[in-house]
Amino acid sequence: MELIINGESIHVPDEVKTVSDLLAHFQLNNKIAIVEVNLTIIPKQQYETTTLCNGDKVEIVHFVGGG
């Protein structure tokens, strides 16, 4: 499936079907992240039930520690 993630066209494996799957694919599932799909912010409790479709526009913002 092709998704537009943070403005870049990215191919993800067929196993990626939900927002939760996408975060796991990018190893962000244990980090604090805000996800927007097609201009709608997805509440964290809906990550496992929000399905993704070919061509969806996804924005992922996660926090990085440092000093």
Side-chain angles (χ1 to χ4, degrees), residues 3 8-9 12-13 17-18 20-21 23 25 28-29 35 37 39-41 44-45 51 54 58 60:
L3 299 173
E8 185 177 336
S9 181
V12 295
K17 300 196 183 303
T18 66
S20 183
D21 295 339
L23 292 176
H25 175 71
L28 295 172
N29 51 331
V35 181
V37 178
L39 303 177
T40 301
I41 295 175
K44 184 173 181 160
Q45 56 270 35
T51 57
N54 194 50
V58 180
I60 302 172

Side-chain angles (χ1 to χ4, degrees), residues 6 19 23 32-52 57-61 63:
N6 295 348
V19 169
L23 292 176
I32 296 172
I34 297 171
V35 181
E36 179 184 278
V37 178
N38 298 323
L39 303 177
T40 301
I41 295 175
I42 308 300
K44 184 173 181 160
Q45 56 270 35
Q46 293 179 8
Y47 285 0
E48 290 193 24
T49 58
T50 302
T51 57
L52 299 169
K57 293 180 182 177
V58 180
E59 295 289 326
I60 302 172
V61 177
F63 300 95

